[in-house]
């Protein structure tokens, strides 16, 4: 049986921009697909202390550091859900990281200085993190069929965490009506 455990993190800047990543074509999973800001695999060697159970929050912090070079004192991290991506035989968690002081402009300048695993991202997009803008972005014709399995669900849950289910579902109804 194949199985792995992935951490999928939606990162939102202090001025309310969702950071979306296009995975590199060199990646084993999610190759050349649009994805959450950070995608990290759980590592027995890196995430278990003395052979004990892994610390999911510490693993998420490692992913934030390796992929975006953002220290754990720069964001608030929330666990949103556990999930299973059956197409990948992968268990995982969905998390939301809200940057406390780093704006979109600050983040872009920050990335320009380089990050350890920056090669994992082919491109970065920024989406205003409010229901209608984010949902329209997710359903764009050039994006709709090019997402990693966890990305749409994570974006939805992150929006619900911020705006509430009623407001997000009403926005989704409006966006779907506009598309039909």
């Amino acid at each position: 049986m194949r199985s792995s455990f992935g951490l999928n993190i939606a990162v939102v800047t202090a001025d309310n921009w969702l950071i979306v990543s296009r995975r590199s074509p060199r990646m084993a999973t999610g190759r050349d697909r649009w994805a959450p800001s950070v995608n990290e695999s759980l590592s027995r060697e890196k995430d278990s202390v003395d052979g004990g159970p892994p610390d999911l929050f510490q693993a998420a912090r490692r992913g934030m550091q390796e992929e975006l070079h953002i220290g754990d004192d720069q964001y608030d991290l929330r666990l949103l859900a556990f999930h299973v991506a059956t197409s990948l035989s992968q268990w995982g968690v969905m998390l939301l990281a809200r940057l406390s002081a780093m704006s979109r402009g600050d983040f872009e300048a920050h990335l320009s200085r380089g990050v350890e695993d920056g090669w994992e991202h082919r491109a970065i997009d920024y989406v205003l993190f409010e229901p209608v803008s984010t949902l329209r972005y997710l359903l764009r014709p050039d994006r709709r069929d090019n997402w990693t399995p966890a990305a749409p669900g994570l974006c939805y849950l992150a929006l619900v965490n911020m705006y509430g289910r009623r407001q997000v579902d009403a926005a989704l109804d409006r966006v779907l009506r506009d598309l039909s």
Side-chain angles (χ1 to χ4, degrees):
M1 179 176 145
R2 297 181 304 148
S3 69
S4 61
F5 198 96
L7 298 105
N8 300 277
I9 308 169
V11 177
V12 177
T13 64
D15 56 347
N16 218 35
W17 289 91
L18 174 66
I19 300 164
V20 181
S21 165
R22 185 167 190 182
R23 308 269 292 161
S24 166
R26 297 180 290 176
M27 298 306 298
T29 59
R31 180 179 297 123
D32 209 28
R33 293 194 173 268
W34 289 94
S37 319
V38 174
N39 300 276
E40 192 63 45
S41 294
L42 199 59
S43 167
R44 182 182 309 259
E45 294 79 30
K46 295 178 183 178
D47 301 319
S48 293
V49 178
D50 299 324
D55 181 332
L56 298 179
F57 285 92
Q58 186 57 39
R61 289 188 283 274
R62 178 177 58 79
M64 291 284 290
Q65 181 66 40
E66 290 177 1
E67 291 191 26
L68 301 177
H69 196 66
I70 297 177
D72 61 357
D73 61 337
Q74 296 178 288
Y75 57 89
D76 173 54
L77 189 61
R78 294 181 187 174
L79 175 64
L80 301 177
F82 286 87
H83 69 92
V84 177
T86 56
S87 62
L88 300 174
S89 301
Q90 182 181 70
W91 299 86
V93 293
M94 297 178 178
L95 301 114
L96 171 63
R98 299 250 345 159
L99 301 180
S100 50
M102 192 180 295
S103 69
R104 174 184 170 173
D106 296 336
F107 180 79
E108 289 175 310
H110 172 81
L111 275 189
S112 73
R113 294 187 284 276
V115 295
E116 183 177 345
D117 287 348
W119 60 272
E120 292 187 23
H121 307 287
R122 177 178 175 188
I124 300 283
D125 266 1
Y126 302 91
V127 182
L128 184 59
F129 188 62
E130 61 85 30
V132 170
S133 295
T134 302
L135 294 166
R136 278 196 178 122
Y137 179 84
L138 285 169
L139 295 169
R140 279 175 34 180
D142 62 327
R143 297 283 188 277
R144 191 174 34 235
D145 297 322
N146 197 23
W147 288 103
T148 59
L154 173 56
C155 290
Y156 174 81
L157 290 175
L159 285 167
V160 167
N161 184 269
M162 180 72 176
Y163 296 97
R165 185 173 173 191
R166 279 190 190 155
Q167 187 175 347
V168 175
D169 286 352
L172 181 57
D173 287 343
R174 193 171 352 151
V175 169
L176 290 173
R177 258 193 322 274
D178 290 348
L179 290 173
S180 56

